[in-house]
Amino acid sequence: MDKFFNPKSIVIVGASSKRESIGGIILRNLLDFGYPGRIYPVNLKYKKIGQLDCYQSISDIKDEIDLAVLAIPAKVVPDVVEQAAVLKKPIKNFVIISAGFKEANAVGGQLEDEIIRLAHKYDLKVVGPNCLGVLNSKYKLNASFSKNNFSAGHIGLIMQSGALTTALFDLAESENLGFSKVVSIGNKAVLDETDFLKYLEKDKDTKIIGMYLEDIKRGREFIEALHKASHSKSVVVIKAGNSQKAKKAVESHTGAMAGEAEVAREAIEASGGVYVEDFLDFIENLKMLSSFKKPGSDKVVILTNAGGAGVLTTDLIEKNNSLSLKDFNLCEKRKLLKVIPEAGSINNPLDILGDAITDRYTRVLRCLRDMSNIGAVICMATAQAQTDIIGISKAIAQANKYCSFPVIPVIIGAHANKQAQNVLKPYGLNNFIFPVQAVAALSALYELDRRKSRLASAHFKFSNTPEVIKKMADNAYQEFRGAFYFRESMKMAEYYQIKVSKTYYFGDHSFRPKFPLAIKVDIPRLVHKDSHGGVILDIINDSQLEKAQKELKEKFPEEEIIVQEQTFRGIELILGIKRDINFGPVIMLGLGGTMTEIYREKILWLLPCAKKQVEEKLNGSILAKILQEKKIDIGVVIKQVLKVVKIAEENEWMRELDMNPMIFYSDRDPVTVDIKVFLAQ
Amino acid sequence: MDKFFNPKSIVIVGASSKRESIGGIILRNLLDFGYPGRIYPVNLKYKKIGQLDCYQSISDIKDEIDLAVLAIPAKVVPDVVEQAAVLKKPIKNFVIISAGFKEANAVGGQLEDEIIRLAHKYDLKVVGPNCLGVLNSKYKLNASFSKNNFSAGHIGLIMQSGALTTALFDLAESENLGFSKVVSIGNKAVLDETDFLKYLEKDKDTKIIGMYLEDIKRGREFIEALHKASHSKSVVVIKAGNSQKAKKAVESHTGAMAGEAEVAREAIEASGGVYVEDFLDFIENLKMLSSFKKPGSDKVVILTNAGGAGVLTTDLIEKNNSLSLKDFNLCEKRKLLKVIPEAGSINNPLDILGDAITDRYTRVLRCLRDMSNIGAVICMATAQAQTDIIGISKAIAQANKYCSFPVIPVIIGAHANKQAQNVLKPYGLNNFIFPVQAVAALSALYELDRRKSRLASAHFKFSNTPEVIKKMADNAYQEFRGAFYFRESMKMAEYYQIKVSKTYYFGDHSFRPKFPLAIKVDIPRLVHKDSHGGVILDIINDSQLEKAQKELKEKFPEEEIIVQEQTFRGIELILGIKRDINFGPVIMLGLGGTMTEIYREKILWLLPCAKKQVEEKLNGSILAKILQEKKIDIGVVIKQVLKVVKIAEENEWMRELDMNPMIFYSDRDPVTVDIKVFLAQ
C-alpha cells in the first residue's frame, strides 16, 4: 500500500501538455508540488512534455515503476492495465482516474468488472476508477487533478467523492486544516475504505482520519479496522446517501448501494468514531479534533466581552445533552472578582465587558487555569471599539498551552476571524466564527472521548446453533418456508428462556385456556395478521370462541389456528434482531404499540455485545426514562436483551427475529405476545 | 421617530479628538460616513475638534438640535438630559450610548429610572442607554461607535446587543448583506423593539427587518406591530436568553427578564415572522430573504456537477419537514436528456458531471425554467478541473431573472465562494457555502410564506366574564384563595359544556356512584394531590370506599372529599390555558399521562384564535398523528380546544386553567378527570 503514497516512480498514462486536460493537470500537479521521484509520461501524441521524455506506450518503459496513474478513456483502461501487469517488470499499483465505469452505465459496469478480474488475476492493487487521485504532503506527492492547493498537516482523508475532496482543500486553508495523506477511492472496485483505514491507522504522520462514505462495503472488517484505529487516532466519518431518494442518487453516482443509516451510525460510534451526516459538521469536527485538547469534564465556562454572545452560547449549552455550564463556588467567585470589573459578571457566562483589552482576558484565563473541574473554556470576542483581536487571539493560544483544558476561541466576524486565524495557525489552533459550531464540535469531542474510554473488543464470530433449533431451521429450509411456524418460534423462545403468552392449539391435550382470549391464524410469513383479518381479540366465553374459530377456518382453511390468553396491560416494547448485510446481526430494543411509528425510539447494539454495553446504552436513554416512569426494573429489560444477544450469537442462519410486543411489568415477568423468526435466504 | 434616522443636526456630548474614546469614534464615524447635517461636539476640554467648533456645555448651543448623542459617564447623564430638555429650543430625541445603568448595578438602575422619569416629564424620546447608536445608510448617518463599516441595502436592524451588531456588520460584507436603518436599543429604558418595528414597517428603504431580542417588553403590542409589518416585509427575530441559565445571563446583561421561549416562538411565528435561536441561522435567513424569490411550492430540484454534493443535499431535503424533491415526469426527463450527458443523471438530483462548463448549467436551467411545479432549484458547484465558477455564478444570476422560482447557488469552497459572491453581489444575490445552510433557510422561507398567506387579525380584547363565573371568581378573591374549589371548576366546565368525570360529594342528595371509584381531597392549590397521598384509586366496593374516606379524613380533616367514577381508558391529553405576562392567554394542548414529561409534545395558540387557526396547527402535528393512530376524530378535539379558547377570551382574571388528563375516545365523548382553575394575583 505504501507504494501509493511513497512511490519512487510514477507513470502517467494520458499525460498531456494541455493545461486543461486531466492528464495535463495531474502532471503539472506532480511537478509543481515538487514530487522527488521519477515521472514517466505516456501519450502517443508527444515525444516530450516540457522537460520530460514522453513514451508512446507503457511497454516502452524498461525501468521499475511503483505506481501507474491512468487518465485515459474508460474503454481502453482494461487493456492498458493488463499491458502494465505483464511487463517484464510488472506494475502492481494503479490509480484509475478515468470516469465512465459503473457510475455511468452498463457498459462501464462491464469494464469495471474486467478491472476487478485483472486485479485478481495479476494480484494488482487498484484505487478508483472514477477518482481524484492520491496525495502525500510529506513526500510532496500530488498525483491528483485537484485544482486547489492543499496544506500539510495531520489529517488523513479517505474520500468517496473527488469533488468534495477539492472543495475541502479549498476550505481548508482558511479553516487552518492540514492534511497528511489523501486518497480519493472513487468506485472502489478493488481497494476500499477499510484498506486505507488500516493503512492510515499505522501512518505516523496521520493523527486524525476523515472519511466521506456513501456506502460501507465490508462492514465487519470496517468495524474492526475503525475500532483499532480509534485507540490511537480520532476518526470522523461523514456518511451520506442515507435517505431513500439519496440512495437513488448514490446508484447513479458511484454505483453504490447504501446500507441503513442508523446501523451505520451505531457501527461507527460503537467503534469509537464520530458519525456526521453533513459536510459543515464534518469540517467543524475536523477543526476541533485537530486543534484542541480533550475536555476532561462536561463543565464549560463561557468567557465573553459581549453579553449577547454569552447569552447565545448559554442557550446552546443548556440545549446540549452532553455539556453543561460550570457553577463557580464562592471561593472561585472571590478570585474572579479580582480580575473582572464590577459591572461585569462573575457568574457563568463570565462577562468581562466590551472594553476588555487583552490583559483582562489573560488575567481571567490565568485565574481559570487554577480551578478544578473545568472541561473547556469557550472564549468569545466581538470586535468592539477597544478590542484587539490579535492580542486576544495570542492570549488564547497561550492559554491552550498552560491550561489543562481546551480554550476554544469563538471570535465572531469575518475580518475578525481572519485576524484570529492568522495568529492561531502557527499554534495549530482554530477559531470558530459562530458559537453553534463550537458547541456542537466540543460536544462531539467530549462524547467521542467517553466512547473511546469504553471501547471493548470488536472481533465477533458466530457460535454453533443448538441442535434443537438447527433441526427446525433445516426443516423450514427444506419446506422452502422463509419463516418459522409459531409453534417453532415458541420452542426457540423456550430454549432461550423467553416467556411467550400462554398459547394453545385446538385439539391440544391440555386445552384449558383462561378467558379473555385471542385467536390467530398461524401463517409464517404473514407479518400483519390483524390487517388481514387473521386475529380476533377479546373472546370472553366458549360460544364466542367457537364462532371465532369457525370464522378463521373459513377464511384460512389451510392454516393452523392458535389460541392465546390475553395479557395484562404493561408497557409494550419491541425486541428483536435484524441481520444487516454489511454489519451482521443488530439487536434492537424499541418502543412498541401505536407509539412506535410516531416516536421511533430505539436502541441498537451490534455484536460483540456484553452486559456492559447493554447497560451503557440503555442507561440515560429515553426508553430508560419511560421504564422508570412506569416503575419497571431496568435490570429485567437488560436480562431480556442479553437473551436476544445470545440468540444472535448462536443463530447465523437467522435473518430477523421480531418479538412485538414484548410486555414489561412493574410486578411480574415480561412476556412476548408475538414472536416471529425469519430465515436468511 | 424620524429624527433618529434623518436628523438635520446632532449634538455629541462627550465628543473627543481621541481616536480610541467612544465619543471620538462616534464623531469620526459621523464625519467619515459623510453625514450631511450639522454636528455640534460638546466637551469641556476642547475649543475645537478638527474643523469643528467644540461647545463647553449643551446650554451654549443656540440652534435647533434634532438629536443628542450622549457618550459621557452614566452618573452625569440625567443632568445633561434635563439640561437639554429645558433649553430654549429643547432637544427631544436622545441616543444614550453610555453604559453603567441597570445592566451594571443598583445605582445604575436608579440612574435609569431617573431617565425614564425625565422622558415622561418632558416628553422625550430616548434610545438606550447602554447601546451602540443609530445608523441610516441612505442619509449617510453613522451615529454609532461601531468600528466596522456597514454596507447599504434593504435590511433594517433592531438589535438588543451592540456587540452582535458590530459582529454582524463585520460578517455582512462577505455575506452580501446590506442595511437600510439600524438601531441598537440597549436597555430600552424608553423606546423599545415595538416602537422601532412600527417605524421600520413604514420605512420605504427597508424590505427585511432583522431583530435580536433577549426579551420582548410589550407582548401584545409587539404582536400587533409584527403582524402589520409582516404584510409588506419579512421579519426575522433571533430570540436569545431562553434557557434558565441564559436568563441569569440576561439579568446581568441588559437587565431584562426573558419570557418563555415557546410562547415567544408561537407569538412571532403566528404573527408572520421567522423565529430563530442562533446567530448563524439569523444570518442565513437574512441572506435568503434579502436575495431570493419565494418558492411557489415545496418541490426542490438539485442541480450539481458533483455527485457527492447532490447526495448530501438529497439527505437534507429528505430529512426536512417542509421541502421535498421534485419527481420529473417522462416528458420532462426527455427534455433533460437533451441537455444532460448520458453518464449524468436525469433523476433528481440532476448530475451534470464534473466536466460541466457554464453552458451546460445554462442549458439545464433554461430547460427547468419551462417546467411546472418547481419551488426552487438548488444549483451546486464544486471547483473541479474544468469548472468556471465565475461563469456559472453569472448563469445562476441570470436564471434568477428568467425563472419564476429561486435558483439558489451552493458553491462549496472558500475561494470559490469569494469568486461567486463577487459576481452575485451586483445582482443582490448570495451564495451558500454549505447545502445545510441553503436547505434550512429555503425551508424557513417556504414556511414563512405559508404562514403569511394565513395571517388573520392580530387584535385581541377580552370579553366580559359570564355573571355566574364572575361571582365565583369574586368569591375566591375575597377568601384569598388563589384557585377554585373543584365544585366551582365543575360549574365553570358545565357552563362551557366541558364534560367532567362524574363526581359526587359525601352526603350529596344523589350519591349513587358506580364502582370502580376514585376519591380525592379537594384542596384548591394542591397541584400534585396524588404525591401528597390525597388520592385513592381503584375502589371497587362499599367497604373499601368507607375505609378510604376514613383515611383521607384523618389526613386532611379540614378539607372536603370528592368521589369520582373512574373513566374508561382512552388517550390522555392535557388541555389548558396559561396566562403569559407578555403575550396574554396561551391555549395549550399537549400529550398527557406519563409520556408528557418525556416527549413534551404540545401545540400553543395565542389569542385571537379562530377555528381555522386551531385546525391549521393541529393538522399535520405529531398529536394529530397520535389521534389518528388511536382512531380519534380530530374534529372532536378541535371542538374542545375552541371551548377553551372561549374560556380564555371571557375570563381575563384567569391565570391558569389545567384539565389534566382530558381523555379522548374513538367512540364516546371526551371527559376531563381533573380540572383546576387558578386566579391572577
Side-chain angles (χ1 to χ4, degrees), chain B residues 559-578:
Chain B
E559 314 298 338
E560 207 157 6
I561 287 161
I562 55 178
V563 180
Q564 275 194 318
E565 292 180 2
Q566 281 186 209
T567 44
F568 294 90
R569 278 171 190 275
I571 175 150
E572 299 187 0
L573 300 184
I574 301 179
L575 181 56
I577 300 169
K578 188 209 158 201

Side-chain angles (χ1 to χ4, degrees), chain B residues 236-375:
Chain B
V236 187
V237 184
I238 176 166
K239 175 71 185 60
N242 292 324
S243 56
Q244 280 307 317
K245 293 254 176 167
K247 274 184 199 165
K248 246 202 238 172
V250 168
E251 237 179 333
S252 65
H253 176 44
T254 33
M257 283 295 293
E260 201 198 298
E262 278 132 331
V263 176
R265 173 180 208 127
E266 175 53 28
I268 290 163
E269 291 188 344
S271 312
V274 179
Y275 171 96
V276 298
E277 289 185 347
D278 171 272
F279 203 53
L280 180 56
D281 279 349
F282 185 59
I283 289 170
E284 300 301 333
N285 273 291
L286 288 178
K287 279 169 72 175
M288 185 61 79
L289 285 167
S290 64
S291 306
F292 295 99
K293 288 189 188 84
K294 287 162 196 157
S297 91
D298 64 334
K299 297 291 173 223
V300 178
V301 174
I302 303 170
L303 172 61
T304 179
N305 74 345
V311 171
L312 286 171
T313 310
T314 302
D315 282 355
L316 291 163
I317 300 271
E318 293 289 317
K319 270 197 284 182
N320 187 284
N321 288 326
S322 308
L323 306 174
S324 60
L325 284 187
K326 178 182 166 67
D327 277 320
F328 293 109
N329 61 35
L330 202 63
C331 169
E332 291 166 335
K333 282 185 184 173
R334 275 202 202 107
K335 283 179 191 159
L336 288 165
L337 255 182
K338 290 183 195 154
V339 290
I340 295 178
E342 197 210 343
S345 167
I346 54 164
N347 289 312
N348 201 359
L350 301 172
D351 188 344
I352 60 172
L353 304 180
D355 60 354
I357 51 170
T358 306
D359 184 50
R360 197 181 293 161
Y361 274 94
T362 302
R363 277 185 292 147
V364 175
L365 286 167
R366 286 215 182 112
C367 181
L368 293 172
R369 170 188 56 188
D370 303 323
M371 292 182 190
S372 58
N373 197 24
I374 293 180

Side-chain angles (χ1 to χ4, degrees), chain B residues 154-156 180 203-209 232-235:
Chain B
H154 295 292
I155 301 170
S180 52
D203 181 47
K204 278 181 194 145
D205 300 321
T206 300
K207 287 178 186 160
I208 317 289
I209 300 170
S232 55
K233 331 221 148 169
S234 293
V235 186

Side-chain angles (χ1 to χ4, degrees), chain A residues 420-523:
Chain A
Q421 287 292 66
N422 285 338
V423 173
L424 297 169
K425 193 165 195 164
Y427 295 88
L429 299 174
N430 238 314
N431 181 50
F432 293 85
I433 302 184
F434 296 102
V436 65
Q437 300 168 334
V439 170
L442 178 62
S443 161
L445 180 61
Y446 176 70
E447 283 297 327
L448 175 68
D449 202 38
R450 293 217 298 177
R451 281 202 302 277
K452 278 191 179 186
S453 70
R454 304 195 295 227
L455 277 183
S457 158
H459 188 67
F460 165 71
K461 252 190 86 169
F462 285 105
S463 318
N464 288 335
T465 304
E467 205 48 46
V468 50
I469 294 168
K470 194 172 173 302
K471 257 188 202 162
M472 294 193 295
D474 288 345
N475 197 31
Y477 276 119
Q478 270 162 27
E479 293 176 9
F480 298 102
R481 276 187 282 134
F484 273 9
Y485 285 117
F486 193 78
R487 200 189 284 273
E488 293 164 330
S489 298
M490 273 203 303
K491 209 165 174 181
M492 195 190 78
E494 195 188 352
Y495 181 89
Y496 288 104
Q497 297 177 297
I498 292 168
K499 205 172 147 191
V500 182
S501 281
K502 186 87 181 150
T503 305
Y504 300 87
Y505 288 79
F506 287 103
D508 269 8
H509 179 67
S510 59
F511 191 79
R512 252 172 244 92
K514 276 189 213 139
F515 295 105
L517 296 174
I519 83 168
K520 306 173 182 174
V521 66
D522 181 15
I523 307 175

